[in-house]
Amino acid sequence: MRELSLQLSLLDHQVSGRLELKDVDVDCLDLVNRYGPLSPSALAKRAGLHPATLTGILDRLERGGWVARERDPSDRRAVLVRALRERNAELLGLYAGMNASLEEICAGYGAAELEVVADFLHRTARAGRVATEELAGG
């Protein structure tokens, strides 16, 4: 697991460098793409970041055309961060090599085996999320 984590971190670092972003910027963009639109405070909590740190990240992502900060239609005083999908192809293109490798790897397994692998990955991700929340204090 440590080797996988390390290799994925190194891949993410290469991707962020190509996009002229910081690694944490790409992490936050991924969170917005997966769970958004999110309020900045909800994003900060999910990312385990201080809200002031998140402001700089959102500024960079907004300048780069990756996200937009918009008024929440249900509460005009609140702001939501929304991913701008126009640049997703660029991001996906940088992960194309890894995605192709994963497809090739998965093709070597049967449906029942893939279910076990998927269950393991979901449970491991959940354990990581819990550990992160505990370290972040909340």
Side-chain angles (χ1 to χ4, degrees):
M1 289 300 296
R2 298 281 303 168
E3 179 67 17
L4 175 60
S5 176
L6 175 63
Q7 292 307 316
L8 292 176
S9 290
L10 293 171
L11 174 61
D12 288 343
H13 181 70
Q14 291 300 314
V15 168
S16 63
R18 293 279 179 100
L19 298 174
E20 298 180 357
L21 294 170
K22 294 181 179 188
D23 294 4
V24 70
D25 299 351
V26 176
D27 292 342
C28 288
L29 176 60
D30 191 32
L31 289 169
V32 174
N33 271 315
R34 289 176 185 274
Y35 304 108
L38 294 169
S39 69
S41 59
L43 178 56
K45 184 174 180 180
R46 276 196 182 265
L49 297 170
H50 189 278
T53 302
L54 188 65
T55 299
I57 292 167
L58 292 177
D59 288 346
R60 285 189 296 276
L61 290 172
E62 196 168 40
R63 271 194 312 271
W66 295 101
V67 300
R69 285 181 263 206
E70 302 170 340
R71 292 281 169 212
D72 183 340
S74 63
D75 178 358
R76 298 294 297 157
R77 297 167 295 164
V79 172
L80 292 175
V81 179
R82 179 179 60 84
L84 299 175
R85 307 284 183 196
E86 297 82 19
R87 297 202 60 193
N88 276 357
E90 182 180 353
L91 186 60
L92 291 174
L94 294 171
Y95 286 105
M98 182 64 179
N99 289 339
S101 293
L102 284 174
E103 286 179 21
E104 187 177 313
I105 291 166
C106 289
Y109 292 98
E113 293 168 311
L114 288 173
E115 285 181 32
V116 171
V117 170
D119 177 63
F120 172 79
L121 292 172
H122 287 291
R123 292 169 66 185
T124 303
R126 188 176 323 115
R129 202 167 28 256
V130 168
T132 300
E133 289 170 0
E134 287 173 356
L135 284 175

